[in-house]
Amino acid sequence: MDHVKPAKRSKIMAAVRSKDTTPEMKVRRFVHSMGYRYRLHSPDLPGKPDLVFSSKKKVIFIHGCFWHGHKGCSKARLPESRVDFWREKIERNIRRDKRVKRKLNHIGWRYFTVWQCKLKNLEKTEERIRAFIEN
Ligand SMILES: [Zn+2]
């Protein structure tokens, strides 16, 4: 039986979520270990990018596969109930992401998207992040 009260449980869940195993923390830790400085969720750029390298005019987005509709990814499969609701929601997110990237291009910023599922192969993803920042 589960005896934890809902309020306490959500506290526990929040603690679990905010642990540094989240996709964003993995990326931040790696970039930090490379010695790069960045800002977080800069509100003055389109899409409030997760990591911002101002002097390089580069940003990194860390995208959850489901919410951002990662094409062809098993994590992005829609739930079996309320399919239309979810499809519309996710497609709206995809359209917003495209708009954000167009705007960034337009003002001369470059972006790199890290998909949550790609963090399983951490080393390969770290290589690509490094290449993006350095080139
Ligand atoms: Zn994915």
Side-chain angles (χ1 to χ4, degrees):
M1 274 298 275
D2 185 0
H3 291 297
V4 182
K5 290 212 175 75
K8 174 136 194 233
R9 184 184 303 117
S10 70
K11 234 183 196 170
I12 294 170
M13 296 293 286
V16 169
R17 267 199 303 273
S18 66
K19 250 172 52 182
D20 59 359
T21 51
T22 62
E24 186 175 333
M25 284 308 298
K26 281 187 187 173
V27 174
R28 275 157 66 171
R29 195 162 43 218
F30 171 66
V31 172
H32 186 80
S33 77
M34 285 171 64
Y36 286 109
R37 300 206 151 253
Y38 50 84
R39 285 184 300 148
L40 295 173
H41 309 286
S42 184
D44 46 345
L45 281 172
K48 291 190 204 131
D50 296 302
L51 274 70
V52 177
F53 304 88
S54 297
S55 59
K56 292 173 174 284
K57 292 184 92 175
K58 289 179 184 178
V59 301
I60 293 179
F61 291 100
I62 296 117
H63 277 356
C65 298
F66 179 73
W67 290 108
H68 293 269
H70 192 193
K71 222 175 176 182
C73 174
S74 65
K75 284 177 182 284
R77 266 203 295 266
L78 296 174
E80 281 172 25
S81 62
R82 307 179 73 201
V83 177
D84 290 343
F85 167 80
W86 287 112
R87 182 177 295 126
E88 199 194 312
K89 201 174 178 64
I90 302 301
E91 280 175 359
R92 201 158 51 224
N93 290 343
I94 292 172
R95 281 197 300 274
R96 194 191 49 218
D97 288 341
K98 280 187 182 157
R99 209 157 49 229
V100 161
K101 286 165 184 175
R102 258 201 317 272
K103 283 185 188 165
L104 285 168
N105 265 331
H106 194 71
I107 58 173
W109 283 65
R110 289 172 59 204
Y111 59 83
F112 183 73
T113 302
V114 179
W115 290 98
Q116 169 197 5
C117 65
K118 301 289 181 194
L119 287 165
K120 274 207 206 107
N121 192 342
L122 197 54
E123 275 181 34
K124 196 173 169 202
T125 302
E126 286 176 348
E127 274 310 304
R128 297 188 62 202
I129 293 171
R130 181 195 300 278
F132 168 72
I133 296 173
E134 292 182 347
N135 297 317

